[in-house]
Amino acid sequence: MTDFKKFGKFIRKCDILTISMLAGACLTLLTASFSAFAQSCEALQGEVLRLHILPNSNSADDQQLKYELRDFILSDAKTYFADVSTLEEAVQSAQYYLSSIEENAKAFIAEKGYDYDVIVSIETMFFTTRVYENLTMPAGDYTALRIKIGEGEGQNWWCVAFPPLCLPAVTQKSGEPYFSPETSKVIEADGKRAEVKFKLYEWLKQKRSNSS
């Protein structure tokens, strides 16, 4: 009987050890998987130039003006980024055209009957996780072409100016023509597992941003 009890204790210890080993192995795999996901997210932030438009207010007229200015800006976007293949080149081109973009935006808004000032700048901004059509852009600090209309206190509009995902004519189901295979997997990720990863990554990025 004593030997049987000892054997039972041994089995229980083995079970605990096995469970601990399996839990450790699972945690290692999950950590490695998330680490690879986070690295791809970080890489993505160095590949895109966001377009960020802030309207004067949330009034119906100001929101409509935001969309009209958006269409006007995007109509010239192909000119700004015609021969661009990297984020660095996109930023350089945007800087070159910056004063022209601002002057044209002011003239467009004046033609619409508004006297709002317009400020166009290139900034590094924190974005939460955003979904654009069938693509998900993870949270993080991105370079953005920022257009502020008037007080800039209304609900903003954003998209990806480079690569040209803002333009319906060039938006494709797959991001592979524009992104590396690793980052393509990130922006095209779907399902509950991907949603959890995006939320966890956003939480970590916000925590890091707040502490810096």
Side-chain angles (χ1 to χ4, degrees), residues 2 7 30 61 66 115 120 127 132 137 140 170 176 196 198:
T2 302
F7 180 74
L30 288 172
D61 289 342
K66 173 186 71 177
D115 61 355
V120 181
F127 287 84
Y132 181 72
M137 301 296 293
V170 297
E176 290 182 3
V196 170
F198 280 120

Side-chain angles (χ1 to χ4, degrees), residues 98-109:
L98 203 63
S99 59
S100 177
I101 296 172
E102 186 170 281
E103 290 174 7
N104 291 340
K106 288 179 178 179
F108 177 84
I109 286 178

Side-chain angles (χ1 to χ4, degrees), residues 163 170 172-180 184 188:
V170 297
Q172 301 181 14
K173 183 176 181 180
S174 172
E176 290 182 3
Y178 309 118
F179 300 106
S180 64
S184 292
E188 295 175 3

Side-chain angles (χ1 to χ4, degrees), residues 52-67:
H52 190 226
I53 302 179
L54 296 90
N56 180 67
S57 73
N58 280 326
S59 72
D61 289 342
D62 284 346
Q63 287 293 313
Q64 179 62 30
L65 180 64
K66 173 186 71 177
Y67 292 119

Side-chain angles (χ1 to χ4, degrees), residues 52-56 69 102 105-106 109 116-121 123 145-153:
H52 190 226
I53 302 179
L54 296 90
N56 180 67
L69 180 61
E102 186 170 281
K106 288 179 178 179
I109 286 178
Y116 297 144
D117 190 21
V118 178
I119 299 176
V120 181
S121 59
E123 302 181 16
L145 178 62
R146 189 170 186 261
I147 302 175
K148 179 182 176 183
I149 307 171
E151 298 299 321
E153 295 181 350

Side-chain angles (χ1 to χ4, degrees), residues 42-212:
E42 298 286 347
L44 179 64
Q45 293 163 29
E47 295 182 22
V48 303
L49 175 65
R50 308 282 284 256
L51 176 61
H52 190 226
I53 302 179
L54 296 90
N56 180 67
S57 73
N58 280 326
S59 72
D61 289 342
D62 284 346
Q63 287 293 313
Q64 179 62 30
L65 180 64
K66 173 186 71 177
Y67 292 119
E68 291 176 354
L69 180 61
R70 172 202 65 185
D71 294 341
F72 174 73
I73 295 296
L74 291 180
S75 67
D76 291 331
K78 288 184 179 180
T79 301
Y80 306 146
F81 309 116
D83 300 312
V84 168
S85 58
T86 67
L87 173 60
E88 183 179 3
E89 292 175 353
V91 171
Q92 290 176 350
S93 181
Q95 288 175 332
Y96 178 81
Y97 287 106
L98 203 63
S99 59
S100 177
I101 296 172
E102 186 170 281
E103 290 174 7
N104 291 340
K106 288 179 178 179
F108 177 84
I109 286 178
E111 289 177 1
K112 293 295 180 179
Y114 296 87
D115 61 355
Y116 297 144
D117 190 21
V118 178
I119 299 176
V120 181
S121 59
I122 298 176
E123 302 181 16
T124 299
M125 303 172 55
F126 178 81
F127 287 84
T128 56
T129 302
R130 305 289 182 90
V131 177
Y132 181 72
E133 295 188 356
N134 59 321
L135 303 179
T136 300
M137 301 296 293
D141 296 315
Y142 291 84
T143 304
L145 178 62
R146 189 170 186 261
I147 302 175
K148 179 182 176 183
I149 307 171
E151 298 299 321
E153 295 181 350
Q155 183 176 358
N156 66 79
W157 181 89
W158 74 273
C159 73
V160 179
F162 173 80
L165 301 184
C166 289
L167 307 177
V170 297
T171 300
Q172 301 181 14
K173 183 176 181 180
S174 172
E176 290 182 3
Y178 309 118
F179 300 106
S180 64
E182 291 75 15
T183 50
S184 292
K185 291 178 182 178
V186 170
I187 64 176
E188 295 175 3
D190 195 10
K192 290 296 182 181
R193 291 180 63 184
E195 185 178 344
V196 170
K197 280 186 176 181
F198 280 120
K199 287 183 177 179
L200 178 57
Y201 181 74
E202 180 173 337
W203 178 79
L204 291 172
K205 291 293 290 186
Q206 286 180 324
K207 186 176 181 180
R208 186 185 303 173
S209 179
N210 293 336
S211 63
S212 60

Side-chain angles (χ1 to χ4, degrees), residues 8-20:
K9 289 181 180 180
F10 174 76
I11 293 298
R12 285 194 293 272
K13 286 182 180 179
C14 287
D15 288 342
I16 294 173
L17 180 60
T18 301
I19 292 172
S20 299

